Amino acid sequence: MRHESVGGFDRRSLRRARLVVALTCLLGVLACWYALGLTRLLSPGGWTPSSADSVRAEALLASEFHAGPPQLILLATTPDSVDAPQASAAGRDLTRRLSEDHRVAWVNAYWQHPLPSLRTEDRHSALVLVRFRGDERATRDAAGDIIDRFTGTRGPLRVSASGAAAVMDETEKLSEEGMRFAEFVAVPLVLLILLWVLGSVTAALLPVVVGVVAVAATTAVLRLLSTVTEVSLFALNITTALGFGLAVDFSLLLVSRYREELAGGAGADQALRRTLRGAGRTVVFSAATIAASLCALLLFPLPLLRSLAYGGATVVCASAAGALTVLPALLILLGDRLDRWDVFSGLRRPHHAVSSGAWFRLARAVMRRPALVTVGALALLVLLAAPVTHVRFGMYDDRILPQSSPVAETSQRLRADFGSEWVDAASVVLPAPAAGRPGGVPDPVLDAYARRLALTPGVRRVDARTGTYRDGRRSAAPDTSSARFAGPGGTWLSVIPEGTDPLSPEGSRLAAGLRAVPAPGPVLVGGPGARLADTEHVLAGRLPLVVGVTVLAAFALLLAFTRSVLIPVKALLLNALGLAATSGVLVAVFQQGHLAPLLGDVTAGGITDVVVPGLMFCVTFGLSMDYEVFLLSRIVEEHRRGSDTETAVAIGLQRTGRLFTSAALVFATVTAALALSSLVLLKLIGVGLALAVLLDCTVIRALLVPAVMRLAGRANWWMPRFGRGKDRPVSSGTPVPTAPMEGP
């Protein structure tokens, strides 16, 4: 049966296309509706494994001793004395109202327990320490409500907030603001780039549609996952940027190939089929490679990294699915209207033959001096990677916030006025009580253990029920609050560090030192330094497995895609170099403080967060393989048509160079917009991802790939006999095609 053709497509194709678009719109609306209020369900934490000793220690302190590190610290200041009648009455009222809140587990306030450590020497400031019931999400919600209700002016007191719960609440607010601002800045820039690259308003909107579909689907999946597991707030920011970037990548590839087929004389229907067979296969392999890299994050038992794996793999699959279903349907419906409204038509150069294109000439120039180019490019990458040797791993705390944040200002005042006692103290818990003896450990045994702890390098003092210890000696008898160090569940000791940042390498070493002290029974060490040590231990133990799984998966996919052994090995080595260079720049900027006039103070204590290496490896490795697949798809295709290696590389780079550099520019724009956030972690991720893709599409793809493939020559195409297929590459001297370049 014959069907009337519209724009080169028959009526049956048009009906199917309308159905696909209609179903996509319906599912997109439902996904957006379901995802409403998602940010309130996400966690700004997830940095430490839930099974870690430090987490168990803090849980035991809260349940058995009603103690542990406070989650919210309220700083009350007054021009007069905190002991003045009016200030004292306001402080007692604040303490009473907090204690009556059913969400609060305990309150320890100066007006409740007048300890000298809870006020400043000038008596102008005092502390109210609060710990909540429930999990991290309940803590964040309760803290946000209490901060809104109780901070500000209360009689003669001026109350401000700090502590982990306040940081979580502030992080959520700034993350939402940063994401909205990034979208406000990035979307117009991306549209301008797409308009220039794709050559028309209608074509430029196609990747945006695919990106919206992918992000909507991902937010719905994250909303569903949040009901059964902890999902990090940062996963939403990163996967949103990743979704738009990949949607542009895949859409550019398909639209460019579709136009190329049309320019070669194929009809619209035939051109679309050829596009899906050729470029569609590339999209599938690329998406599989990126998804495999991101899924490797599941091997880390950290909720933050697992959340990125959930969201990242979902958005990759959604972007590929949208590019292979929604985009073809839109191309069918647009027909010959795809190239309408080219506002930059007067600025474009006329089309050239492939052999006279700029990328073709660049490839030829590189391959004339491959050794020189290889040495120069490698020297540049090694130079950029050099700062990695000075990396100092730690964990971000309130210093992730901008200095203008009220929570950050309060935290700085706490450090200056109260030292580290209530913020940085470590907790040593002896949870196994001896039968018939409260507290579980006899006083002489506990006294000896506390003395040994006080001798640990980096310890200023140890507080226990038996007294206070400094330099291995008991310097004070138990005070009136010493009973809080013992109970039916066991005994605990508070260890105050000697000016050590607990979330730095020194804090991790202090936690290891405390754990190495011989104890009178089972012991759990908690506190910030112990959390860092536990996280480092898990990440260091799993990182080789993650790297191995990622590399093997990428090698297997590239081996199947190219039917070559050397090309996947080359791709993996070059990607490793690009990752090392990116890591070096991040250390130089975000740890050592270079470019501070441009980005502001982003050093966050002069450390690199311990979760960054695993996160950046999986994300940037997958993105680099994306551009590698784009380039290799055309090189391998040209070689299988009979071109020699040099010609295949030059044609492949000409066909895809403009494509992957445009895609990288769009992705860099989207991710670099995250650097406009006031949160240091989002700045780091945004700058890191943008730098990684720009280095990849310039130094690696444009220079190193042609140079290395020229040096390898025929070895590029070696494959064991059992892996050869009917379409195995065969070298010949087929002349260079002269079809016009794809795109405008």
Side-chain angles (χ1 to χ4, degrees):
M1 179 178 178
R2 294 180 60 84
H3 299 275
E4 182 181 351
S5 176
V6 176
F9 297 98
D10 59 29
R11 292 288 186 183
R12 181 180 299 172
S13 298
L14 289 168
R15 285 197 299 270
R16 291 175 179 171
R18 292 191 187 101
L19 178 61
V20 169
V21 172
L23 288 175
T24 301
C25 291
L26 176 62
L27 293 176
V29 171
L30 291 176
C32 292
W33 170 79
Y34 181 68
L36 289 175
L38 172 63
T39 53
R40 295 302 302 173
L41 301 176
L42 302 181
S43 167
W47 303 82
T48 307
S50 57
S51 60
D53 282 356
S54 55
V55 176
R56 293 167 53 206
E58 292 182 11
L60 191 62
L61 282 172
S63 62
E64 296 292 335
F65 302 98
H66 300 289
Q71 295 164 321
L72 180 66
I73 302 176
L74 297 180
L75 174 65
T77 60
T78 178
D80 300 318
S81 170
V82 293
D83 294 317
Q86 288 185 331
S88 181
R92 288 194 299 271
D93 178 68
L94 173 62
T95 304
R96 177 185 59 79
R97 296 181 65 181
L98 288 171
S99 301
E100 292 173 351
D101 194 313
H102 68 279
R103 300 167 297 183
V104 173
W106 54 259
V107 177
N108 187 9
Y110 171 72
W111 297 278
Q112 181 186 40
H113 304 291
L115 299 174
S117 58
L118 289 173
R119 61 161 172 79
T120 54
E121 292 184 2
D122 60 9
R123 298 179 183 267
H124 289 321
S125 301
L127 298 181
V128 179
L129 313 178
V130 183
R131 190 168 182 91
F132 299 96
R133 294 186 173 91
D135 58 13
E136 194 173 62
R137 186 181 301 169
T139 296
R140 180 198 60 191
D141 293 341
D145 179 56
I146 285 177
I147 290 172
D148 292 339
R149 289 168 52 199
F150 294 106
T151 56
T153 302
R154 300 188 62 81
L157 299 179
R158 177 72 180 175
V159 181
S160 58
S162 180
V167 173
M168 284 194 297
D169 181 69
E170 187 78 350
T171 298
E172 179 186 344
K173 295 176 182 176
L174 293 177
S175 178
E176 290 182 20
E177 293 176 4
M179 188 168 65
R180 287 195 298 267
F181 187 63
E183 292 171 351
F184 176 78
V185 172
V187 169
L189 293 176
V190 167
L191 285 174
L192 284 175
I193 296 170
L194 290 176
L195 187 58
W196 172 256
V197 174
L198 290 174
S200 72
V201 174
T202 50
L205 291 175
L206 294 179
V208 177
V209 173
V210 176
V212 169
V213 170
V215 171
T218 303
T219 54
V221 171
L222 291 177
R223 170 69 172 80
L224 179 63
L225 288 172
S226 68
T227 62
V228 296
T229 188
E230 182 179 353
V231 178
S232 172
L233 178 66
F234 292 106
L236 182 61
N237 300 85
I238 298 171
T239 55
T240 299
L242 192 62
F244 274 106
L246 291 175
V248 169
D249 286 0
F250 299 153
S251 300
L252 280 174
L253 179 66
L254 291 170
V255 172
S256 297
R257 188 59 180 266
Y258 176 65
R259 281 175 164 165
E260 182 182 326
E261 295 294 343
L262 289 176
D269 188 64
Q270 185 183 32
L272 186 57
R273 287 199 302 270
R274 289 180 180 177
T275 296
L276 293 176
R277 279 200 305 267
R281 178 174 177 267
T282 302
V283 168
V284 171
F285 269 91
S286 178
T289 306
I290 301 171
S293 297
L294 291 171
C295 284
L297 290 171
L298 292 172
L299 297 173
F300 291 120
L302 269 66
L304 170 64
L305 296 181
R306 288 187 169 180
S307 299
L308 293 174
Y310 301 142
T314 300
V315 83
V316 170
C317 295
S319 298
L324 295 174
T325 56
V326 180
L327 183 62
L330 292 173
L331 289 174
I332 291 172
L333 294 179
L334 287 173
D336 54 10
R337 293 168 292 183
L338 176 64
D339 295 325
R340 289 187 177 181
W341 303 313
D342 182 1
V343 297
F344 293 127
S345 57
L347 302 176
R348 300 189 187 281
R349 298 177 181 177
H351 294 302
H352 297 286
V354 171
S355 58
S356 60
W359 289 99
F360 187 95
R361 295 195 305 272
L362 173 63
R364 286 293 195 185
V366 168
M367 289 187 287
R368 279 196 295 269
R369 296 177 178 82
L372 180 63
V373 172
T374 300
V375 172
L378 291 179
L380 174 62
L381 293 177
V382 170
L383 180 64
L384 293 176
V388 169
T389 58
H390 303 289
V391 66
R392 297 178 71 250
F393 288 120
M395 291 181 73
Y396 289 150
D397 53 9
D398 56 87
R399 285 166 288 192
I400 195 177
L401 303 173
Q403 295 181 353
S404 59
S405 165
V407 175
E409 292 177 359
T410 304
S411 300
Q412 292 169 4
R413 291 189 60 187
L414 282 175
R415 288 190 179 92
D417 296 342
F418 292 89
S420 60
E421 178 166 353
W422 298 108
V423 180
D424 300 339
S427 303
V428 179
V429 184
L430 301 167
R437 185 169 185 86
V441 181
D443 285 353
V445 176
L446 183 63
D447 177 79
Y449 181 52
R451 292 174 187 271
R452 292 195 296 271
L453 288 175
L455 288 172
T456 304
V459 172
R460 188 173 77 198
R461 80 169 193 269
V462 175
D463 295 332
R465 76 164 189 260
T466 51
T468 297
Y469 299 81
R470 300 176 187 270
D471 299 323
R473 297 186 299 273
R474 189 169 66 174
S475 60
D479 60 27
T480 56
S481 64
S482 61
R484 68 192 178 99
F485 290 108
T491 303
W492 72 281
L493 306 91
S494 177
V495 179
I496 311 301
E498 184 65 69
T500 299
D501 183 350
L503 295 177
S504 68
E506 293 76 20
S508 178
R509 287 194 290 270
L510 175 59
L514 295 176
R515 286 170 171 165
V517 175
V523 63
L524 296 173
V525 177
R531 289 201 305 273
L532 170 60
D534 290 339
T535 304
E536 283 182 319
H537 176 73
V538 168
L539 291 175
R542 296 291 180 91
L543 187 59
L545 177 61
V546 170
V547 173
V549 168
T550 304
V551 169
L552 286 176
F555 179 81
L557 287 167
L558 284 179
L559 186 67
F561 185 69
T562 63
R563 298 187 184 179
S564 164
V565 173
L566 184 63
I567 290 178
V569 171
K570 178 267 302 176
L572 294 173
L573 291 176
L574 294 185
N575 285 355
L577 284 170
L579 178 62
T582 302
S583 301
V585 174
L586 292 181
V587 170
V589 174
F590 290 91
Q591 178 182 301
Q592 298 174 345
H594 299 293
L595 299 183
L598 181 62
L599 294 174
D601 183 11
V602 292
T603 56
I607 54 97
T608 296
D609 196 280
V610 70
V611 305
V612 167
L615 186 156
M616 292 300 295
F617 170 77
C618 292
V619 176
T620 59
F621 188 89
L623 290 172
S624 297
M625 296 308 296
D626 180 33
Y627 301 133
E628 179 76 8
V629 170
F630 280 16
L631 177 57
L632 288 179
S633 65
R634 298 311 295 266
I635 294 176
V636 172
E637 182 179 329
E638 292 300 327
H639 191 262
R640 287 173 180 168
R641 289 178 178 174
S643 299
D644 58 34
T645 298
E646 291 186 43
T647 303
V649 170
I651 295 175
L653 192 59
Q654 175 61 34
R655 292 292 192 190
T656 59
R658 189 169 183 269
L659 173 64
F660 64 69
T661 51
S662 300
L665 182 59
V666 169
F667 188 82
T669 301
V670 173
T671 53
L674 292 176
L676 300 175
S677 169
S678 53
L679 294 175
V680 172
L681 182 62
L682 288 182
K683 285 180 180 288
L684 184 148
I685 292 172
V687 171
L689 293 180
L691 177 65
V693 297
L694 292 177
L695 275 177
D696 188 83
C697 74
T698 53
V699 178
I700 294 178
R701 301 296 153 226
L703 299 178
L704 276 175
V705 169
V708 172
M709 291 192 73
R710 170 64 178 84
L711 292 173
R714 293 178 61 86
N716 284 298
W717 315 108
W718 179 81
M719 183 73 179
R721 290 184 179 276
F722 62 83
R724 299 178 185 175
K726 294 181 179 180
D727 58 346
R728 182 174 178 269
V730 179
S731 293
S732 72
T734 301
V736 179
T738 57
M741 295 169 56
E742 71 277 16

